[in-house]
Amino acid sequence: MSHSELLAPINNFLLCETPNEWVIEAVKKENLSVILIDHLICELKAAQSAMFLIRKYAVDKESSDALLEWLKPFETLIYKREGNWRDLAAKNKLTKSIIPKSNSPYGQDLIDKMVMLIKEELHHFYQVLEIMDEYGVEYQSITPCRYAKGMLRNVKTFEPNALVDKLIVGAYIEARSCERFAKLAPHVDKRLGDFYISLLRSEARHYQDYLTLAQEIADFDITERVDFFAKIEADLIQSPDDDFKFHSGAPTANS
């Protein structure tokens, strides 16, 4: 499948394109470090979010503990600045089988899709670290942008609607990431452009996996909730934003 074929459903899913002003800001050399660091953090947060869903909704305590151990070296590197990033490639594997809780109504499909997503996000995390090393970009702490929080604050508080909403939000985050990689790829050097293009296939599947799970779990047609979050997501992308990040809105003069 070509890049344009991969992007077509994503562009139909999203209500708006990334503003050109964001692309112009993102490709400035002085913003390379914030784009790479924020991308790195986004990959880890995507893995954490998927892992949270499995642990909360689908597995027993033993499997939950195994999942936490899987993620630990990646979190330790970022939050405690401990460990050698080059060692992480060998740590992206599960040593225990992940088993659904006996009382879980969601079960194996949620686990299978999210475990694959986590593996891919952690692989991308490692790839971003490789690129940061090549470009001489050192990791530093940065504040999270408003994007994910702006959507998650609208998630319903009762189940299974809360889980359905979280999955829809996950779909939008993955789809927007995919759209932004495609926007950036033609304007950066070949090494970085090739990397962004390589991410399109998995990111495109991730958003579809989230939507599929949301509809499977819901006992209602999710179209109305998808449309609800579409408007929130588009507003966050199009409205002025003075905190420039990978998922930020339209840059202002202060960003």
Side-chain angles (χ1 to χ4, degrees), residues 82-137:
E82 294 174 4
N84 186 332
W85 68 267
R86 290 179 176 82
D87 296 335
L88 293 178
K91 297 184 184 296
N92 189 12
K93 54 188 69 162
L94 276 179
T95 54
K96 279 181 176 283
S97 59
I98 303 302
I99 307 162
K101 289 188 299 190
S102 58
N103 63 343
S104 171
Y106 311 121
Q108 201 63 43
D109 196 34
L110 175 66
I111 294 169
D112 291 345
K113 283 185 168 68
M114 292 298 101
V115 165
M116 178 179 285
L117 185 145
I118 293 165
K119 285 185 175 179
E120 290 178 341
E121 302 292 13
L122 293 180
H123 177 59
H124 299 160
F125 178 88
Y126 184 82
Q127 289 178 300
V128 179
L129 285 169
E130 284 183 313
I131 287 175
M132 286 171 61
D133 185 60
E134 288 175 34
Y135 284 78
V137 174

Side-chain angles (χ1 to χ4, degrees), residues 1-253:
M1 189 180 289
S2 69
H3 302 146
S4 59
E5 288 174 313
L6 281 171
L7 287 166
I10 286 168
N11 290 332
N12 288 333
F13 178 60
L14 298 169
L15 276 191
C16 70
E17 287 187 43
T18 288
N20 286 332
E21 300 92 327
W22 183 89
V23 179
I24 291 166
E25 197 68 21
V27 299
K28 290 179 179 176
K29 286 185 178 178
E30 62 265 30
N31 285 327
L32 177 65
S33 60
V34 74
I35 285 290
L36 289 177
I37 292 169
D38 200 35
H39 180 185
L40 179 76
I41 294 168
C42 286
E43 298 291 0
L44 180 60
K45 288 199 175 297
Q48 289 173 319
S49 297
M51 189 165 291
F52 170 80
L53 294 177
I54 303 174
R55 293 180 61 240
K56 180 174 175 62
Y57 294 104
V59 298
D60 58 22
K61 186 179 184 307
E62 184 181 9
S63 296
S64 178
D65 291 344
L67 284 162
L68 285 178
E69 283 301 309
W70 179 22
L71 202 56
K72 197 171 182 179
F74 299 85
E75 293 178 323
T76 299
L77 185 79
I78 292 300
Y79 301 131
K80 296 185 178 179
R81 311 285 184 88
E82 294 174 4
N84 186 332
W85 68 267
R86 290 179 176 82
D87 296 335
L88 293 178
K91 297 184 184 296
N92 189 12
K93 54 188 69 162
L94 276 179
T95 54
K96 279 181 176 283
S97 59
I98 303 302
I99 307 162
K101 289 188 299 190
S102 58
N103 63 343
S104 171
Y106 311 121
Q108 201 63 43
D109 196 34
L110 175 66
I111 294 169
D112 291 345
K113 283 185 168 68
M114 292 298 101
V115 165
M116 178 179 285
L117 185 145
I118 293 165
K119 285 185 175 179
E120 290 178 341
E121 302 292 13
L122 293 180
H123 177 59
H124 299 160
F125 178 88
Y126 184 82
Q127 289 178 300
V128 179
L129 285 169
E130 284 183 313
I131 287 175
M132 286 171 61
D133 185 60
E134 288 175 34
Y135 284 78
V137 174
E138 287 192 26
Y139 176 76
Q140 55 185 298
S141 298
I142 58 174
T143 55
C145 78
R146 67 186 188 180
Y147 179 74
K149 190 178 289 186
M151 285 191 288
L152 288 168
R153 68 164 59 103
N154 294 280
V155 166
K156 290 190 174 176
T157 55
F158 54 91
E159 300 295 356
N161 301 56
L163 173 55
V164 171
D165 279 359
K166 288 171 191 171
L167 291 166
I168 293 170
V169 168
Y172 275 106
I173 293 172
E174 295 289 341
R176 181 60 65 184
S177 298
C178 196
E179 189 256 1
R180 290 215 156 163
F181 292 138
K183 286 282 188 185
L184 284 174
H187 303 288
V188 295
D189 65 35
K190 188 176 187 306
R191 170 70 173 101
L192 204 50
D194 287 349
F195 174 54
Y196 288 150
I197 292 297
S198 75
L199 296 176
L200 294 184
R201 194 168 300 278
S202 58
E203 299 290 344
R205 192 186 66 256
H206 291 170
Y207 104 87
Q208 292 167 333
D209 284 348
Y210 271 119
L211 280 183
T212 300
L213 283 169
Q215 188 56 75
E216 284 176 357
I217 288 165
D219 54 4
F220 56 90
D221 184 343
I222 65 170
T223 303
E224 187 178 320
R225 294 304 287 170
V226 171
D227 293 344
F228 171 78
F229 281 106
K231 295 181 179 69
I232 294 168
E233 199 272 345
D235 181 65
L236 288 164
I237 290 300
Q238 292 178 309
S239 59
D241 191 348
D242 59 9
D243 180 23
F244 179 74
K245 296 284 168 50
F246 186 80
H247 285 104
S248 57
T252 65

